[in-house]
């Protein structure tokens, strides 16, 4: 049984266990060191004040998570959010990411977010042992379009990586309603 729910700070150990291999073994994230548990817990708490942070469980076991955050710090960015998603590596390519992203999009629409952005590391060569184009393909299947590419802007594992920005419009309101903080929705 699949269940998607808001994360809590107490989920930090399980979520960090999912995230750690992405740091140590891939260029999917540009972090070099696995964050401390206390830091990871604080990231969850900070995100939940304003944006959704969701976990996907099957039979009570956390298999993945996704969240958004404000794209920029200026007030005019309030209607734009950046997405992140991580699945336990043995749970990829089974439709769980799609379910999680649909829930994230629904939560974002309820906040009146107008557009979602995904910042995706991309290999510069064909046979990179630390990164593929799977995330770009995933986002494309979900209706995201490439908005731009930053070339050779991330360096990890002795390799330069591009960053591809993709976007998906959730609404085209000429005058958008005020953004509702996620914490106001779930209380």
């Amino acid at each position: 049984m699949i269940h998607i729910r808001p994360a809590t700070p107490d989920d930090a150990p399980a979520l960090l266990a999912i995230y750690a291999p992405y740091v140590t073994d891939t260029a999917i994230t540009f972090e070099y060191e696995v964050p401390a548990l206390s830091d990871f817990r604080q990231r969850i708490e900070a995100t939940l004040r304003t944006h959704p942070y969701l976990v996907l469980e099957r039979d009570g076991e956390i298999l993945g998570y996704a969240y958004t955050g404000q794209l920029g710090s200026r007030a005019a960015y309030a209607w734009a959010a950046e997405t992140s998603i991580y699945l336990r590596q043995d749970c990829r390519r089974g439709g769980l990411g799609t379910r999680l992203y649909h829930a994230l999009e629904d939560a974002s629409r309820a906040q009146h977010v107008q557009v979602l952005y995904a910042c995706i590391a991309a290999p510069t060569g064909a046979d990179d042992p630390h990164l593929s184009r799977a995330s770009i393909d995933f986002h494309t299947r979900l209706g995201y379009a490439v908005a731009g590419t930053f070339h050779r802007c991330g360096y990890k594992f002795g390799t330069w990586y591009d960053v591809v920005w993709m976007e998906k419009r959730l609404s085209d309101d000429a005058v958008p309603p005020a953004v509702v903080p996620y914490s106001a929705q779930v209380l």
Side-chain angles (χ1 to χ4, degrees), residues 27-28 85 93 101 118-125 131-150 161-167:
I28 290 171
I85 184 169
R93 292 180 173 53
Y101 245 43
C119 178
I120 304 167
T124 57
L131 189 63
S132 72
R133 295 185 60 84
S135 186
I136 295 168
D137 296 341
F138 168 76
H139 284 84
T140 300
R141 284 192 304 276
L142 292 179
Y144 285 72
V146 173
T149 301
F150 296 171
Y161 292 98
D162 292 347
V163 169
V164 174
W165 280 91
M166 298 185 78
E167 65 184 353

Side-chain angles (χ1 to χ4, degrees), residues 17-160:
I18 291 169
Y19 183 63
Y22 287 98
V23 175
T24 59
D25 303 335
T26 79
I28 290 171
T29 175
F30 285 172
E31 285 198 80
Y32 280 21
E33 302 292 328
V34 175
L37 181 59
S38 60
D39 292 337
F40 205 78
R41 182 182 304 271
Q42 288 175 347
R43 291 179 188 185
I44 295 168
E45 291 170 346
T47 298
L48 284 169
R49 285 186 206 111
T50 57
H51 288 81
Y53 201 126
L54 305 176
V55 298
L56 182 142
E57 299 175 316
R58 181 172 41 217
D59 301 323
E61 181 180 11
I62 296 175
L63 303 180
Y65 65 96
Y67 60 91
T68 64
Q70 191 166 329
L71 182 66
S73 62
R74 305 282 195 260
Y77 286 115
W79 293 271
E82 183 181 345
T83 64
S84 292
I85 184 169
Y86 293 94
L87 294 175
R88 207 173 69 189
Q89 293 196 8
D90 63 335
C91 295
R92 296 182 302 179
R93 292 180 173 53
L96 299 178
T98 299
R99 291 175 78 164
L100 196 49
Y101 245 43
H102 286 312
L104 192 65
E105 289 174 6
D106 290 344
S108 297
R109 279 187 195 92
Q111 288 187 276
H112 307 300
V113 168
Q114 303 291 295
V115 62
L116 295 176
Y117 291 93
C119 178
I120 304 167
T124 57
D127 295 320
D128 190 293
H130 301 289
L131 189 63
S132 72
R133 295 185 60 84
S135 186
I136 295 168
D137 296 341
F138 168 76
H139 284 84
T140 300
R141 284 192 304 276
L142 292 179
Y144 285 72
V146 173
T149 301
F150 296 171
H151 299 280
R152 293 174 46 99
C153 70
Y155 187 78
K156 188 173 179 181
F157 302 123
T159 303
W160 283 105

